[in-house]
Amino acid sequence: SSGINAEYGDYINSILQVLVHIPPLRNFFLIKENYAGNKSGLVQRFGELTRKMWNPKNFKAQVLPHELLQEIQAASDKKFKIGQPADPMDFLQWILNTLHKELGGTRKKGSSIIYQLFQGELSVKTETPHKKKEEGESNEVQDPINTEFTTSTSTLPFLTLSMDLPVTPLFKEEIEKNIIPQVPLYTLLSKFDGKTLHNIITGERKTYIITRLPKYLVMQIRRFNKNNYFFEKNPTIANFPVKNLEMREYTTNEPSVGVTKFDLISCVKHEGTPAKGIYSVYVQNKGNEQWYEIQDLTVKDTIPHLIVVSEAYILVYEQKKE
């Protein structure tokens, strides 16, 4: 694994490392003919970086991605640029959607390498409230006892899933007294069990269940809460499996769902305060199953035991073979 040299670009570095360590995506971009005629600067520069990083003749332990960074800055209207902090999840969603579009992808399933690897589908059941109307009553008063719900179901394609951590104790003294709170990933995943109701500000209630799993499952553990007054980070540790994540409980269990077992292949973590922290990434080299921790130019061996106790922010799982 090579480090990427880009000052103040820890969030970009982490996501580029995630992407170039996904074997079928890497293999697609290693074969120049797959996108030789493509006019997109982003596609060409991303391919160039992938080929440099996986070139067996590249004896340097670092790669300079300046051309790609310039393309990212231009294509994102300067939303993502070096020297300016940003959220790696925002960047990941942007680069996946942009590469999909630039590679000629449409809304159709599997219409680009991005959709082939990352797109799954959710069934969303929405319950919309309406009051039982008595004669001569207006609709304005909301009485929960007399509220009825109209149910509708829709299908929603996704490239990433996000989950909220439980709220941390209100007073800092409580956090300091206690050990950092922990929660199993399976508890967070109950959002997608098709039964847990989520109340929306509009008064609607929603349930989610997965109808088709992607080959690569990208999950965000939401740690940050930001508004006009404060920027907070939730330090809760999510306990997740490195091998054999079982997703069956969060799917409709139909044949179209696909294989429900997954192994972790990368994890982006955040260390430090919300405003001044650092993003780094754990990636697995599939060739020898060795795990590495990469932070900008620093690449070091690590072990799964250290990954599962980190302040994970983005998890990427690979679907197991049947």
Side-chain angles (χ1 to χ4, degrees), residues 48 88 102 114 117 124 127 169 188 194 222 230-231 234 296 302:
E48 212 169 80
E102 304 282 274
I114 303 297
L117 300 179
V124 184
E127 297 181 354
L188 305 184
R222 285 189 178 146
F230 57 80
F231 187 13
N234 187 326
D296 292 343
T302 191

Side-chain angles (χ1 to χ4, degrees), residues 37-51:
N38 194 298
K39 300 272 193 294
S40 162
L42 186 70
V43 167
Q44 294 300 337
R45 298 289 88 81
F46 183 79
E48 212 169 80
L49 179 77
T50 307
R51 295 195 308 275

Side-chain angles (χ1 to χ4, degrees), residues 99-164:
L99 285 173
H100 166 72
K101 200 170 66 194
E102 304 282 274
L103 287 164
T106 63
R107 288 186 174 187
K108 283 187 185 161
K109 193 168 86 176
S111 58
S112 77
I113 185 73
I114 303 297
Y115 273 20
Q116 286 161 31
L117 300 179
F118 299 100
Q119 195 185 53
E121 257 173 22
L122 285 171
S123 174
V124 184
K125 192 159 89 178
T126 305
E127 297 181 354
T128 308
H130 59 89
K131 189 172 175 287
K132 288 182 200 166
K133 205 173 169 191
E134 307 283 333
E135 271 187 60
E137 274 194 323
S138 74
N139 275 331
E140 285 172 26
V141 187
Q142 278 293 334
D143 175 1
I145 295 162
N146 286 325
T147 300
E148 290 179 335
F149 288 87
T150 308
T151 303
S152 62
T153 305
S154 58
T155 303
L156 187 71
F158 68 86
L159 295 177
T160 62
L161 296 175
S162 66
M163 297 161 296
D164 294 309

